[in-house]
Amino acid sequence: MNEDVVICRCEEVTEGEVRRAIREGAGSLTALARHTRAGMGLCQGKTCHCLLARLLAEETGINLAEARPRTARPPVRPVPLGAWAQHE
Amino acid sequence: MANGGPVAQVDVAVVGAGPAGLSAAIEAASAGSAVALIDENLWAGGQLPKQIHQFFGSRAHRAGERGYHIAQRLAAEAVSLPNLEWLPDTVAYGIFPGLRLGLAHSGVARELAARSVILCTGASEKSVAFPGWTLPGVMGAGALQTLVNLHRVLPGRRVLMLGAGNVGLIVSYQLLQAGASVVAVVEPAACVSGYEVHAAKLRRLGVPLLLRSEVAEVRGKESVESAVVRSRDVLGDVAAHSEREFAVDLVCLAVGLSPLAELAWMAGCEFAYEPRLGGHFPQHGEDLQTTVPGLYVAGDLAGVEEASIAMEQGKLAAISAVRSLGFAGAGTSHRRAAAAARLAELRGGEREFSGDAPEATGVMLPGSMADEVRLSRGPVAMIDCTECIPCNPCEAACKRKAISIGRPVTNLPVLDADACTGCGRCISRCPGLAIVVVDMSVPGDDALVSVAHELLPRPRPGEPVAAVDAEGNVLARGDVLKVRIGHAHTPVVTVRIPRDVAMRVRGIVHRRVIT
């Protein structure tokens, strides 16, 4: 394992932290996000979700098909808060 | 996140204006429905405007057209349709019950109600996490294409490419065209997964293709300074002493794409999982409808394949949508069947190789080269095409019908050397640049070879070049006799070279592209 390699660049979560979180019970991408914030940064997991899924599969034996992404909530892209301040 | 005020309503809302979305919007608007075409960028085309190579496929698939030209044509057609509203610089930030879309444009949020929605949001790049992957200078191939082909910025001069699928091979070639050098293409598998003709273009330019190899580490203080590559043996174990360090300033990751499916997840679609299609993608039938009624998908979102397939899927999804809304007119069934047939043709072909070695070694197949008698009579084409992929522009290029492919279009081309006059029209029409014309009939010790050459600086008559074989080995010095511009702005260079190497020449190198 490459303990110090960053997996989630946006939130600077390392491989070591991800593996530890999984071993402590975070068994899904949702749980990993809550535990470590991996996937909750600016790109919302676009860059790291495959890497996280692979680590999950390695550590827990689930197959990749079961490593579903976190619940998608709006907005799926950054939108300035003021966008909703104006009515159209 | 609804806000007050009147909500616009359309028949068909298309999210994403890449090849799938443009095709869907054009099809839906042409059927008479009110269409909104939405894209987060200021321009339409998706990944197409970044593609400067000629596309494969058949004439029906717009083969032989450069990607950016396809984008221009589709975008022009889309905006010309009166019942199509083009919404650039608009983010679809969410999808809500009743197929309502939340849109944000110029900092203002609004809602769009649609009777049907076609999601064509494409895919995003995957990553590989090796030590040093977060250093500046490590980037995805798609990002690199955007920088180089859209913004005209070359972010590095010495590049290591990770991934030998079509994206890695194509972007490597584009980097050479942009003036960078590609020190190696690294591929973990035992063979390239992209088209052999793309790999061949790199081989004859001397780019090493390192199979069964991976990036162990990227080193550098503030940015990329070197990359360490190692290989694995057939059992998958790291091969001892196989580490090599390359001095590079750019490492490009072309390791696959993953559908951008947030809106589909949000809408409650059921998903399937297929690694070969990029991972999770919305389940859909042949009509491209998802498990949510009125919600369709097309393009890479429906499973990562390629642009030609995206275009056909866009049409099919739109046809399904307009049919269910009651807009179908005479001819819709025929259009649907034609699109489905083209789709099947694009997916057909086993990608088999007709020979023992999968690489193009410059050894011609019977049926693709002339015998000595014909060679001595005058110029004749030589076709170095050994892989069954859907592609047939060479057949249409020849006015003498000397090249045959027939159906399916995955057949290898067969050359009738006696019908061939060596006119060279086919040279610039082969998207894989796999055709040369050789003239062994000139008096003396020389012969003439004509090849397509897509690198700058453009050679000029009288200049010396290096004639190379399929592996990029320099065979001899060649002197440029003439340069003409062929199809799709492709320069075709005729060089004079010694007779004894003429049959092995597959390209020219104007200056060494690898240091």
Side-chain angles (χ1 to χ4, degrees):
Chain A
M1 115 148 90
N2 293 303
E3 171 87 31
D4 297 322
V5 170
V6 167
I7 297 293
C8 170
R9 298 190 307 193
C10 299
E11 296 291 325
E12 298 181 13
V13 183
T14 65
E15 181 173 334
E17 288 172 78
V18 173
R19 288 192 191 269
R20 268 192 297 281
I22 297 172
R23 290 170 192 169
E24 283 167 13
S28 66
L29 289 174
T30 302
L32 270 176
R34 291 191 187 133
H35 221 109
T36 65
R37 280 201 64 86
M40 294 177 81
L42 188 61
C43 86
Q44 289 287 290
K46 284 184 195 51
T47 309
C48 67
H49 76 102
C50 291
L51 302 173
L52 293 171
R54 210 176 301 146
L55 289 174
L56 211 45
E58 264 180 47
E59 290 284 330
T60 68
I62 61 165
N63 65 56
L64 291 171
E66 297 166 67
R68 303 194 133 203
R70 291 167 33 229
T71 306
R73 299 189 203 286
V76 301
R77 285 282 193 282
V79 176
L81 203 51
W84 291 283
Q86 305 177 50
H87 289 267
E88 197 180 82
Chain B
M1 288 198 164
N3 48 309
V7 176
Q9 161 103 32
V10 291
D11 296 316
V12 181
V14 179
V15 182
L22 280 166
S23 302
I26 290 167
E27 186 72 41
S30 301
S33 61
V35 177
L37 176 60
I38 299 148
D39 198 283
E40 59 183 350
N41 294 299
L42 279 161
W43 37 269
Q47 301 302 310
L48 283 176
K50 306 182 322 189
Q51 308 315 318
I52 59 177
H53 60 284
Q54 289 188 44
F55 271 46
F56 293 75
S58 69
R59 177 167 279 174
H61 304 120
R62 303 290 178 174
E65 230 181 318
R66 297 192 188 274
Y68 64 83
H69 192 259
I70 299 176
Q72 284 165 1
R73 191 173 37 75
L74 287 174
E77 188 178 355
V79 300
S80 75
L81 294 165
N83 47 329
L84 189 157
E85 192 187 356
W86 165 225
L87 299 172
D89 195 27
T90 302
V91 164
Y93 66 76
I95 185 165
F96 305 100
L99 295 180
R100 287 157 87 95
L101 286 168
L103 304 179
H105 168 72
S106 292
V108 179
R110 52 183 270 229
E111 268 194 19
L112 179 69
R115 295 167 68 202
S116 66
V117 173
I118 308 179
L119 297 177
C120 305
T121 47
S124 63
E125 307 203 78
K126 292 188 178 172
S127 307
V128 176
F130 40 77
W133 80 289
T134 54
L135 275 171
V138 179
M139 65 179 69
L144 183 60
Q145 272 194 319
T146 300
L147 274 175
V148 175
N149 293 340
L150 292 188
H151 301 296
R152 309 287 201 264
V153 170
L154 186 61
R157 296 247 150 223
R158 292 180 55 82
V159 189
L160 186 89
M161 176 67 68
L162 177 56
N166 276 330
V167 174
L169 297 173
I170 287 169
V171 176
S172 294
Y173 182 69
Q174 289 173 1
L175 280 163
L176 294 175
Q177 290 179 297
S181 70
V182 179
V183 304
V185 176
V186 174
E187 168 57 54
C191 61
V192 302
S193 57
Y195 287 169
E196 179 49 38
V197 281
H198 284 312
K201 288 194 297 191
L202 295 176
R203 269 197 211 94
R204 54 178 175 265
L205 289 170
V207 176
L209 290 171
L210 305 176
L211 301 175
R212 285 201 222 278
S213 300
E214 62 194 22
V215 175
E217 180 187 355
V218 164
R219 296 174 179 159
K221 206 150 169 294
E222 309 279 316
S223 61
V224 172
E225 289 168 24
S226 69
V228 178
V229 175
R230 67 182 172 213
S231 55
R232 291 185 183 263
D233 59 28
V234 287
L235 297 175
D237 298 321
V238 176
H241 314 300
S242 68
E243 289 201 351
R244 292 170 60 178
E245 190 169 3
F246 292 89
V248 290
D249 57 3
L250 180 58
V251 174
C252 186
L253 307 181
V255 295
L257 300 167
S258 179
L260 274 167
E262 297 104 329
L263 292 175
W265 285 110
M266 201 182 295
C269 295
E270 296 289 328
F271 273 70
Y273 184 87
E274 174 50 64
R276 284 172 302 177
L277 293 175
H280 286 107
F281 64 95
Q283 280 180 30
H284 57 84
E286 276 180 12
D287 61 351
L288 281 315
Q289 184 163 216
T290 65
T291 52
V292 172
L295 185 63
Y296 303 79
V297 287
D300 277 357
L301 169 62
V304 177
E305 291 183 89
E306 43 178 35
S308 322
I309 288 176
M311 290 187 257
E312 302 303 342
Q313 286 182 326
K315 289 176 202 151
L316 282 169
I319 290 170
S320 305
V322 300
R323 259 180 160 178
S324 72
L325 295 179
F327 283 98
T332 303
S333 285
H334 172 73
R335 292 181 64 74
R336 193 209 64 77
R342 286 191 303 267
L343 194 58
E345 195 165 44
L346 284 167
R347 288 186 176 136
E350 297 292 322
R351 307 251 336 256
E352 297 150 14
F353 300 101
S354 301
D356 296 330
E359 299 110 53
T361 56
V363 175
M364 296 299 197
L365 301 171
S368 64
M369 73 180 251
D371 62 18
E372 278 201 34
V373 171
R374 171 61 187 86
L375 282 165
S376 62
R377 280 212 309 262
V380 68
M382 298 207 298
I383 308 176
D384 205 352
C385 181
T386 53
E387 186 186 19
C388 296
I389 55 175
C391 185
N392 71 355
C394 55
E395 187 179 49
C398 184
K399 302 209 175 243
R400 310 271 170 184
K401 302 207 192 307
I403 303 178
S404 348
I405 291 185
R407 292 245 109 104
V409 297
T410 46
N411 290 335
L412 294 182
V414 175
L415 176 71
D416 177 354
D418 290 318
C420 171
T421 59
C423 74
R425 199 165 181 276
C426 50
I427 297 173
S428 61
R429 285 173 181 277
C430 169
L433 309 187
I435 305 179
V436 304
V437 166
V438 65
D439 186 354
M440 303 287 277
S441 71
V442 292
D445 297 322
D446 293 336
L448 301 180
V449 173
S450 299
V451 302
H453 186 72
E454 289 180 319
L455 277 71
L456 294 175
R458 186 174 300 166
R460 287 201 294 258
E463 285 181 344
V465 295
V468 297
D469 66 9
E471 302 303 313
N473 300 309
V474 176
L475 292 169
R477 167 198 161 125
D479 292 289
V480 178
L481 190 64
K482 66 177 183 217
V483 179
R484 65 174 175 85
I485 305 302
H487 173 71
H489 313 290
T490 311
V492 177
V493 182
T494 302
V495 294
R496 185 181 288 273
I497 32 82
R499 286 180 75 82
D500 59 350
V501 300
M503 295 298 289
R504 288 186 285 144
V505 173
R506 293 293 172 269
I508 59 171
V509 176
H510 197 204
R511 55 179 168 82
R512 286 314 283 174
V513 293
I514 304 296
T515 56

